[in-house]
Structure formats: C-alpha cells, structure tokens
Amino acid sequence: MYLQTIFTFNNLFWFFFALVNFSLITLIYKLFGRLGLFTWIAIGTFVANIQVIKMVDLFGFKPATLGNIMYGTIFLASDCLTEKYGKKDAQKSVYLSFFILVSMTIIMQLALQFKPSPYDFMQEHLEAIFDFVPRVVAGSLTAYITSQLLDIYLFSKIKEKLPSDRFLWVRNNVSTIISQLIDTAIFVTIAFAGTIDTNALFQVFISTFVIKIIVALLDTPFIYLMKRIKPIKDNNTLLS
C-alpha cells in the first residue's frame, strides 16, 4: 500500500518534470550565460505564479500546488549568479523579475477590464488565471522579494565562511531551504490566515514546504554542473 502511494503517476511524472526544468535552466545558461539566467528568473516568476493555480495530489498531500519546481529553479539561478558573478548581479536579477511580476499583474488586471466581444470565448478563462485575489498577490510578491534577497544574502555569507567547491552543496541547500521556509511562511500567512482554520493553514504550510525541500535537494547536482559550465555566450556588457 505504501509503495502504491509513492509510485503514482503524479509522483513519478513530478520527478520527470523536475528533470526537464533543471535541464532547461542548465541549457539556457550554457547557451547565454548570465543573461540566460536573468531571462530564466524573469520567466520563472511569471510561470510559477500561473502554475500555482493548479492543484495536484503529490506524495500523500491532498492537494498540493503546482509551481514549486519552477519556483525552485529561480533559487537555483540566483545561487548560480551569486556563485559565479557575485551578489550584486543576483540582486539585480531579483529586482528585475520583481518589476516584471508587478507589471504583469497590473497589465493583465487592466486587460481584463475591456468589455469582451460577443464572439470572445477567452475572457472567463483569462479571469480564472489572472484575476488573482489581492491577498494572494500581496503574499506572493512579499514572499518572493523577501526570500530571494535572503537567499542571496545567506549564500554569500556561507561562501565567505566555506568558500571551497566542496561546500557548494552546503551554500546551495542551506540558503535555499531557509529562504523557502521564510517564503512559505510569509505567503501562507498573508494569503490564507483568517480565511481557513488553523489546522488547514498548517497543512498547507507543511505540504508546500516539504515539496520545496525536495526540489532544493534535487537541484544540487545541477548547481555543480552549472559551476563547471563555460557558457557559449556570456556578454557581460548587456548587464553592466
């Protein structure tokens, strides 16, 4: 019975989905260097906030939100930027992606105000995706900017103490897991506190955080791979 719970389609496909995400971020870094990581982080903030709308059953949690893998790749990208290019570049990528996320929210809210044509069939679907509850948006934005900047700060501090490549996994995992803990606590509190009972709130927090820990551990081989990669194109002048 326990094995049947683990080896479900969703659980197995989730690992495949993670492999695809981590492979793509590695590829974009190989092709475009730090510009590729900036682009990935910008895309990731957009895609993760769409994916999180979908509920799935994973690892015994019913339900869990999708989007944690894509969100986890953002931490991988910012860690790679901090490791190879420095804290300032990583912070710049966070500010840029935060601006993009805010801009997307504003633009789509305005777009939804247009009165649809009688022939239109997408308005209700767009509303379902982009008409976010204000508390959810506030929680997402606050959690993102706080956790990302914390991740960069912790990664940099750990690197000062443990600069060897042997401890890259420590820098990556410790900074990401602590930051994801804060991220989850902020988002769940702002978005759901007072709207659901305490037990349900705790279950949402636990399920989200556990899955984020799994993502953080899975990205460890990829941070080592990206550390070794020499990008084909790495035009620093575009981001100076």
Side-chain angles (χ1 to χ4, degrees):
M1 181 63 71
Y2 180 71
L3 291 178
Q4 288 179 340
T5 302
I6 294 178
F7 294 110
T8 64
F9 173 80
N10 270 10
N11 290 348
L12 295 176
F13 191 74
W14 185 88
F15 284 105
F16 170 74
F17 188 49
L19 177 62
V20 171
N21 278 260
F22 291 135
S23 298
L24 287 174
I25 190 175
T26 304
L27 179 60
I28 199 172
Y29 178 60
K30 174 64 177 178
L31 295 175
F32 303 104
R34 67 172 179 165
L35 178 60
L37 293 180
F38 269 69
T39 304
W40 183 273
I41 292 173
I43 292 172
T45 56
F46 181 87
V47 174
N49 276 275
I50 293 176
Q51 288 182 353
V52 76
I53 299 171
K54 183 168 182 174
M55 298 287 189
V56 294
D57 294 342
L58 287 171
F59 309 115
F61 297 114
K62 299 182 179 183
T65 58
L66 204 61
N68 290 321
I69 293 175
M70 176 56 74
Y71 197 58
T73 64
I74 298 172
F75 285 82
L76 174 60
S78 62
D79 284 353
C80 184
L81 282 169
T82 308
E83 177 70 20
K84 300 190 73 172
Y85 301 97
K87 184 168 66 174
K88 289 186 178 180
D89 266 2
Q91 290 172 332
K92 188 185 296 184
S93 73
V94 173
Y95 296 136
L96 174 63
S97 57
F98 182 78
F99 179 83
I100 289 172
L101 188 56
V102 172
S103 300
M104 176 199 74
T105 303
I106 294 172
I107 290 171
M108 289 310 301
Q109 287 300 309
L110 294 175
L112 291 174
Q113 303 312 307
F114 283 95
K115 184 177 180 180
S117 165
Y119 300 101
D120 177 78
F121 57 89
M122 289 301 298
Q123 178 72 11
E124 62 181 294
H125 303 293
L126 290 173
E127 287 176 350
I129 296 174
F130 292 106
D131 194 11
F132 302 117
V133 177
R135 284 186 59 172
V136 174
V137 175
S140 177
L141 291 173
T142 305
Y144 175 73
I145 191 71
T146 304
S147 63
Q148 279 290 311
L149 293 178
L150 176 62
D151 178 65
I152 294 166
Y153 172 80
L154 291 174
F155 190 100
S156 299
K157 286 299 181 182
I158 296 172
K159 188 175 182 180
E160 290 176 8
K161 302 294 184 182
L162 302 170
S164 170
D165 284 355
R166 292 190 299 118
F167 299 109
L168 178 55
W169 68 273
V170 177
R171 300 194 286 273
N172 177 53
N173 285 308
V174 172
S175 63
T176 298
I177 290 174
I178 293 175
S179 300
Q180 289 281 34
L181 174 64
I182 300 303
D183 176 273
T184 307
I186 292 174
F187 175 74
V188 171
T189 301
I190 294 177
F192 302 118
T195 64
I196 58 178
D197 63 66
T198 304
N199 183 60
L201 189 70
F202 183 71
Q203 289 298 321
V204 171
F205 170 80
I206 291 297
S207 64
T208 303
F209 182 54
V210 168
I211 292 174
K212 285 179 177 179
I213 291 177
I214 297 173
V215 175
L217 295 176
L218 289 176
D219 79 16
T220 303
F222 292 90
I223 190 71
Y224 276 94
L225 178 59
M226 294 168 76
K227 172 75 175 182
R228 293 174 175 273
I229 285 177
K230 183 177 181 180
I232 296 174
K233 293 183 179 180
D234 205 2
N235 192 338
N236 293 340
T237 59
L238 293 175
L239 300 170
S240 59

